[in-house]
C-alpha cells in the first residue's frame, strides 16, 4: 500500500523530531512544530495508520511513536532532505586531506578521524589491499639481540615490518638486503611469488656463510612480510561515542557493542561488502545481532578505477542520515583524488 502525501509528511515530521530528541513523538508535538495545516486529532489518526502499516512503533501504551526499521528505510530512500556541507567544512577537509599525501596509511587514518569529527559517530575505515603496490625498498635490520627486522617500503609510503629470531652479522644483513633489492625492487607485491623467492634462495646458496635452514627461514619470512601487504588493516575512531546516546544507556547493550567494535574480524565482515555509492543498513538489515539498534552507513574509496577500501559510520538508528551521507560522500571523493595522484605517480615509475 502506497503512502499518501499526507502520511509521508507526517512520517517525515515524526522521524525528524525523533532524530533530534530521542523521545517518542506525539501528535501535539507534530502539530505545533510543523505547518501541516492539520489538527492534532487528524495527525493522531494518521500516526495510528502508519503504526498499523509498520512504519511507526508505539513503545508504551501512553507514549508517542517512534520509527520502525521500515519507517527509517522509507525515510532514507524517499523523504530525507539533502544535507549541504558548509563551505568552511569542505575547505577545512581539503586542507587536512592535502597534507603529506605521500603517506597513504596516514591519509586513511586521517580520513577516519575527520569522518568521526564531522559526524560525531563511530567511524570504521579499512586500509587498501596493497597487492598492486610497487616495492620501493626492502631492508633487513639487525636489532642486535638475536632478532632481525624485515622492512618493506612501497612507493606510496606504506611501510610494513615484522621481526623474526635470527642471529646474523651486519655484513650478512647488508648482503642479503642488497640481493633482495636487486631482485625485487620495482615489482608489485603480487608479482613477488613464492617461486621468485625460491629462485633467489637458490641463487644465494653458497654466497653467504649461513646455514641453509637459516637462509630459507629468512627468505620465507621476507615473503610473508610482502604477502601481508594484501591484508586489510582496520581503523576505528570514537568507539565510545555510543555511550552518549540514550539507546545505549543500558550497560549490557553498551558492553556488547564496545566488545563488538574491538573485534577486527567482525568489522571486516561488517563493511566488507562492496556496493556502488553510499550504502545504508538500518537495524536488523545488518548482519550482526549487536547492531539491531544501530545503523551503518558505508561508502567505497578507490585507487585508479579499482575499489580498494571502505569507510563506515555506525550510530543509533535515529542518526542524522543526511549529514552522515553527505560527509562520507565528500570524504570518499577527496580520498579518491589523493589516491588517484598516488596511483598515477606509482604507475610512472
Amino acid at each position: 500500500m502506497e503512502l499518501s502525501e499526507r502520511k509521508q509528511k507526517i512520517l517525515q515530521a515524526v522521524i525528524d523530531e525523533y532524530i533530534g530528541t530521542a523521545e517518542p513523538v506525539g501528535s501535539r508535538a507534530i502539530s505545533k512544530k510543523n505547518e501541516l495545516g492539520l489538527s492534532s486529532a487528524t495527525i493522531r489518526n494518521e500516526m495510528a495508520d502508519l503504526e498499523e502499516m509498520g512504519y511507526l512503533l508505539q513503545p508504551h501504551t501512553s507514549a508517542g511513536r517512534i520509527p520502525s526499521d521500515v519507517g527509517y528505510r522509507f525515510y532514507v530512500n524517499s523523504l530525507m532532505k539533502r544535507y549541504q556541507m558548509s563551505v568552511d567544512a569542505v575547505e577545512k577537509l581539503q586542507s587536512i586531506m592535502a597534507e603529506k599525501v605521500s603517506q597513504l596509511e596516514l591519509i586513511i587514518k586521517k580520513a577516519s578521524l575527520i569522518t568521526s569529527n564531522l559526524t560525531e559517530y563511530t567511524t570504521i575505515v579499512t586500509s587498501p589491499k596493497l597487492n598492486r603496490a610497487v616495492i620501493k625498498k626492502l631492508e633487513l635490520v639487525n636489532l642486535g639481540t638475536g632478532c632481525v627486522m624485515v622492512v618493506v617500503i612501497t612507493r606510496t609510503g606504506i611501510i610494513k615490518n615484522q621481526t623474526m629470531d635470527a642471529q646474523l652479522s651486519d655484513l650478512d644483513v647488508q648482503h642479503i638486503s642488497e640481493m633482495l633489492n636487486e631482485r625485487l625492487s620495482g615489482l608489485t607485491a603480487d608479482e613477488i611469488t613464492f617461486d621468485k623467492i625460491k629462485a633467489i634462495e637458490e641463487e644465494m646458496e653458497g654466497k653467504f656463510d649461513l646455514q641453509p635452514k637459516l637462509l630459507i627461514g629468512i627468505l620465507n619470512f621476507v615473503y610473508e612480510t610482502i604477502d601481508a601487504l594484501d591484508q586489510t588493516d582496520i581503523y576505528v575512531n570514537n568507539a565510545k561515542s555510543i555511550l552518549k546516546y540514550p539507546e545505549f544507556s543500558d550497560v549490557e547493550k553498551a558492553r556488547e557493542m564496545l566488545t563488538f567494535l574491538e573485534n577486527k574480524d567482525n568489522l571486516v565482515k561488517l563493511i566488507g561488502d562492496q556496493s556502488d555509492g553510499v550504502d545504508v543498513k538500518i537495524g536488523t538489515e545488518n548482519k550482526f545481532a549487536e547492531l539491531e539498534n544501530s545503523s551503518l552507513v558505508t561508502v567505497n574509496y578507490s585507487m585508479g578505477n579499482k575499489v580498494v577500501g571502505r569507510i563506515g559510520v555506525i550510530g543509533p538508528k535515529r542518526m542524522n542520515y543526511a549529514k552522515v551521507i553527505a560527509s562520507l560522500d565528500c570524504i570518499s571523493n577527496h580520498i579518491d583524488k589523493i589516491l588517484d595522484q598516488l596511483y598515477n605517480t606509482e604507475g610512472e615509475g
Side-chain angles (χ1 to χ4, degrees):
M1 182 179 178
E2 291 187 7
L3 292 184
S4 66
E5 183 178 351
R6 186 162 75 181
K7 281 185 171 61
Q8 289 186 33
K9 288 182 177 179
I10 291 173
L11 178 61
Q12 180 177 359
V14 170
I15 296 179
D16 285 338
E17 178 74 10
Y18 185 64
I19 286 173
T21 66
E23 295 289 338
V25 181
S27 57
R28 285 177 60 83
I30 298 301
S31 63
K32 286 180 179 180
K33 293 187 179 181
N34 296 271
E35 297 178 1
L36 299 176
L38 301 171
S39 67
S40 180
T42 299
I43 293 172
R44 185 162 56 252
N45 289 335
E46 292 285 17
M47 289 174 67
D49 287 347
L50 287 166
E51 180 185 354
E52 188 174 334
M53 296 167 73
Y55 291 92
L56 295 178
L57 301 170
Q58 191 171 28
H60 307 289
T61 304
S62 60
R65 269 79 171 187
I66 64 174
S68 67
D69 288 6
V70 174
Y72 279 122
R73 172 51 61 196
F74 190 84
Y75 174 84
V76 169
N77 289 352
S78 306
L79 303 177
M80 183 176 63
K81 296 175 183 177
R82 184 176 178 181
Y83 182 87
Q84 185 67 47
M85 293 183 67
S86 70
V87 174
D88 287 346
V90 173
E91 288 180 348
K92 185 176 181 180
L93 173 62
Q94 288 174 333
S95 175
I96 295 172
M97 292 300 294
E99 297 172 2
K100 298 182 180 178
V101 295
S102 64
Q103 298 184 35
L104 190 148
E105 191 169 8
L106 182 58
I107 291 167
I108 303 307
K109 288 181 179 179
K110 277 187 177 181
S112 177
L113 180 60
I114 294 167
T115 305
S116 181
N117 288 339
L118 280 175
T119 63
E120 300 182 40
Y121 300 124
T122 301
T123 301
I124 305 168
V125 182
T126 61
S127 67
K129 288 188 175 182
L130 297 170
N131 53 311
R132 294 177 62 205
V134 176
I135 304 299
K136 180 180 180 181
K137 186 178 182 182
L138 281 154
E139 190 170 352
L140 265 63
V141 180
N142 196 345
L143 300 180
T145 56
C147 292
V148 175
M149 179 182 289
V150 177
V151 182
V152 181
I153 304 172
T154 73
R155 287 188 186 168
T156 53
I158 289 290
I159 299 174
K160 289 282 183 180
N161 61 74
Q162 298 191 72
T163 303
M164 70 173 292
D165 294 331
Q167 193 73 49
L168 296 176
S169 69
D170 290 339
L171 188 59
D172 286 337
V173 165
Q174 179 186 338
H175 286 161
I176 295 172
S177 295
E178 289 173 354
M179 178 70 79
L180 289 172
N181 279 293
E182 183 180 330
R183 297 292 182 267
L184 303 179
S185 180
L187 298 179
T188 61
D190 57 4
E191 289 174 332
I192 301 174
T193 62
F194 185 78
D195 287 342
K196 194 175 289 290
I197 294 292
K198 187 71 176 175
I200 295 173
E201 174 193 318
E202 292 172 356
E203 185 180 352
M204 292 174 69
E205 283 181 3
K207 290 188 176 181
F208 305 106
D209 187 21
L210 290 175
Q211 291 290 331
K213 188 175 180 179
L214 179 56
L215 178 59
I216 291 170
I218 291 168
L219 293 179
N220 284 348
F221 194 70
V222 169
Y223 174 74
E224 290 172 5
T225 305
I226 294 170
D227 192 52
L229 290 170
D230 196 31
Q231 297 175 4
T232 298
D233 286 328
I234 197 154
Y235 307 104
V236 179
N237 260 301
N238 206 17
K240 292 183 179 178
S241 67
I242 64 167
L243 299 177
K244 69 181 181 182
Y245 297 106
E247 291 88 341
F248 296 96
S249 58
D250 181 276
V251 174
E252 185 59 26
K253 282 184 180 180
R255 185 191 64 78
E256 287 179 1
M257 189 62 168
L258 289 173
T259 301
F260 177 85
L261 292 173
E262 290 173 355
N263 188 310
K264 176 183 173 180
D265 291 338
N266 284 345
L267 300 181
V268 171
K269 291 175 185 175
L270 180 67
I271 67 172
D273 294 337
Q274 295 183 2
S275 58
D276 294 332
V278 177
D279 184 54
V280 181
K281 287 186 170 61
I282 299 164
T284 52
E285 295 174 358
N286 290 292
K287 297 177 180 178
F288 295 89
E290 290 90 343
L291 297 183
E292 64 180 11
N293 294 310
S294 306
S295 285
L296 170 71
V297 185
T298 56
V299 67
N300 296 327
Y301 65 87
S302 304
M303 182 182 287
N305 295 317
K306 181 183 178 183
V307 172
V308 292
R310 203 157 171 81
I311 312 171
V313 168
I314 296 176
K317 285 191 288 189
R318 62 177 186 89
M319 69 163 59
N320 188 334
Y321 290 97
K323 182 178 180 181
V324 170
I325 289 169
S327 299
L328 283 178
D329 196 42
C330 186
I331 287 170
S332 67
N333 286 336
H334 278 83
I335 296 176
D336 287 353
K337 290 176 184 176
I338 293 170
L339 296 193
D340 193 46
Q341 293 172 3
L342 292 174
Y343 177 82
N344 288 333
T345 300
E346 188 154 306
E348 291 168 3

